[in-house]
Amino acid sequence: MRIDTAINLASIELKKNNIKSPLLDCEILMSKAINQNREFVILNLDRELNINDYKYYQELVKSRSKGKPIAYITGKKSFWNYEFYLNEKTLIPRPDSELIIENVLKIYKNKSYVNFLEIGIGSGCIILSILKEKKFFLGKGIDLSSECLKLCDINAKKLNVKSRLKLFKSDVDNFSQGKYDLIISNPPYIKKLDLKHLDKDVIDFEPIVALNGGLEGLSEIRKVINKSSELIKVKGKLILEIAFDQKKEVTKLLKEKGFYVDKVLKDLANNDRCVISTKV
Ligand code: GLN
């Protein structure tokens, strides 16, 4: 079968299963099936597929038609300027989280050395992107999932920042090492009862532990703020990702713990998403 025929048939299949960008997805899956990049696929639509590649392609399309996110099927995702390995134990990096990096770079434009902590690293996309952009920063990352730590370590090697990274397996409450100029976190912040309203791709495949913020969505954010107030230096910055409707509550929690809220930034969809605060 020719590549274009296989793609067109698969695209109809994905469309039937309500997948949002069927053609694009089918091209990406084809590039995985034949182990070439997407440009190659588009430039070689008239080529014949060999039978094994076609069988493999059909398997990939079947996974996608069941809703499995492309990033988990391909095992990677682009975020900021880099590509990160991924698996189903880690949340797929969201473009909204690039706000944290953008603002770290702005705040520390004229500062080369910063000792920072990330609480809940996932694939490592945030902490590693910062280490990559700021060559003298030192990063410490904690996560309760060994799989995330393993993956972050692999990504750190790939990006060549491992010598400036320390990882610890810990939950936020039980970590008490060091004092930091900067603490960042994108904690689970979805209200428990709202989880079922998330996209099917998300709720069926992404790790709930990385999304579930308890009944009010604030339980992990609260822990991160409490812990940060212990571990942060005076005048240090705490940068948090929050849900679109948590600005007020999070501002209150921060004030209670001695933080001044510098700014709340909006994401690409114009929702409040990122809080920058300073320990006073
Ligand atoms: N922004 C993510 C989502 O809604 C949630 C991430 C989080 O809970 N930290 O898919």
Coordinates of all heavy atoms in Angstrom, one line a residue, residues 91 94 96 186-190 198 202 206 210-212 241 273, ligand 1:
L91 N 2.9 13.3 33.3 CA 1.9 14.2 32.6 C 2.6 14.6 31.2 O 3.8 14.8 31.2 CB 1.7 15.4 33.5 CG 0.4 16.1 33.3 CD1 -0.8 15.3 33.7 CD2 0.4 17.4 34.1
R94 N 2.5 20.7 29.0 CA 1.5 21.6 28.3 C 2.2 22.9 28.0 O 3.0 23.4 28.8 CB 0.4 21.9 29.3 CG -0.2 20.8 30.2 CD -1.0 19.8 29.3 NE -2.0 19.2 30.0 CZ -2.1 17.9 30.3 NH1 -1.0 17.1 30.0 NH2 -3.1 17.3 30.9
D96 N 1.1 25.8 28.3 CA 0.8 26.7 29.4 C 2.0 26.8 30.4 O 2.3 27.8 31.0 CB -0.4 26.4 30.2 CG -1.7 26.5 29.3 OD1 -1.6 27.2 28.3 OD2 -2.7 25.9 29.6
N186 N 4.4 23.0 39.4 CA 3.1 22.8 38.7 C 2.4 21.6 39.3 O 2.5 20.5 38.8 CB 3.4 22.6 37.2 CG 2.1 22.2 36.4 OD1 1.0 22.4 36.9 ND2 2.3 21.6 35.3
P187 N 1.8 21.9 40.5 CA 1.3 20.8 41.3 C 0.0 20.3 40.7 O -0.6 21.0 39.9 CB 1.1 21.4 42.7 CG 0.9 22.8 42.4 CD 1.6 23.2 41.2
P188 N -0.5 19.1 41.1 CA -1.9 18.7 40.7 C -2.9 19.7 41.2 O -2.8 20.0 42.4 CB -2.1 17.4 41.4 CG -0.8 17.0 41.9 CD 0.1 18.2 42.0
Y189 N -3.7 20.3 40.4 CA -4.6 21.3 40.9 C -6.1 21.2 40.4 O -6.9 22.1 40.6 CB -4.1 22.7 40.6 CG -3.7 23.0 39.1 CD1 -4.7 23.0 38.1 CD2 -2.4 23.3 38.8 CE1 -4.4 23.3 36.8 CE2 -2.1 23.6 37.5 CZ -3.1 23.6 36.5 OH -2.8 23.9 35.2
I190 N -6.4 20.1 39.8 CA -7.8 19.9 39.3 C -8.7 19.4 40.5 O -8.2 18.6 41.3 CB -7.9 18.9 38.2 CG1 -6.8 19.2 37.2 CG2 -9.3 18.8 37.6 CD1 -7.2 20.1 36.1
L198 N -12.6 16.2 32.3 CA -11.5 16.5 31.5 C -11.6 15.7 30.2 O -12.4 14.8 30.1 CB -10.2 16.0 32.2 CG -9.8 16.8 33.5 CD1 -8.6 16.1 34.1 CD2 -9.5 18.2 33.1
V202 N -7.2 12.7 28.2 CA -6.5 13.0 29.5 C -6.9 12.1 30.6 O -6.0 11.4 31.2 CB -6.8 14.5 29.9 CG1 -6.1 14.8 31.3 CG2 -6.4 15.5 28.9
E206 N -3.7 9.8 31.2 CA -2.6 10.6 32.0 C -2.7 10.2 33.5 O -3.8 9.8 33.9 CB -2.8 12.1 31.7 CG -2.6 12.4 30.3 CD -2.1 13.8 30.0 OE1 -1.0 14.1 30.5 OE2 -2.7 14.6 29.3
A210 N -1.0 13.2 39.0 CA -0.4 14.5 38.6 C -1.5 15.5 38.4 O -1.1 16.7 38.1 CB 0.4 14.2 37.4
L211 N -2.8 15.2 38.5 CA -3.8 16.1 38.2 C -4.7 16.4 39.4 O -5.3 17.5 39.5 CB -4.7 15.5 37.1 CG -4.1 15.3 35.7 CD1 -4.9 14.4 34.9 CD2 -3.9 16.6 35.0
N212 N -4.9 15.4 40.2 CA -5.9 15.5 41.3 C -5.4 16.4 42.5 O -4.5 16.1 43.2 CB -6.1 14.1 41.8 CG -7.2 14.0 42.9 OD1 -7.8 15.0 43.3 ND2 -7.5 12.8 43.3
E241 N 2.1 27.2 39.0 CA 1.1 27.1 38.0 C -0.2 26.8 38.8 O -0.2 26.0 39.7 CB 1.3 26.0 37.0 CG 0.3 26.0 35.9 CD 0.6 25.1 34.8 OE1 1.7 25.0 34.3 OE2 -0.3 24.4 34.3
R273 N -3.0 31.7 35.2 CA -2.3 30.4 35.1 C -1.1 30.3 35.9 O -0.7 29.3 36.4 CB -2.0 30.1 33.6 CG -1.5 28.7 33.4 CD -2.4 27.6 33.8 NE -3.6 27.6 33.0 CZ -4.7 27.0 33.4 NH1 -4.8 26.3 34.5 NH2 -5.8 27.0 32.6
Ligands
GLN1 N1 -3.2 21.9 33.0 C1 -3.4 20.5 33.3 C2 -4.7 20.1 32.6 O1 -5.7 20.6 32.8 C3 -3.4 20.2 34.7 C4 -2.0 20.2 35.3 C5 -2.0 20.1 36.8 O2 -3.0 19.7 37.4 N2 -1.0 20.5 37.3 O3 -4.7 19.2 31.8

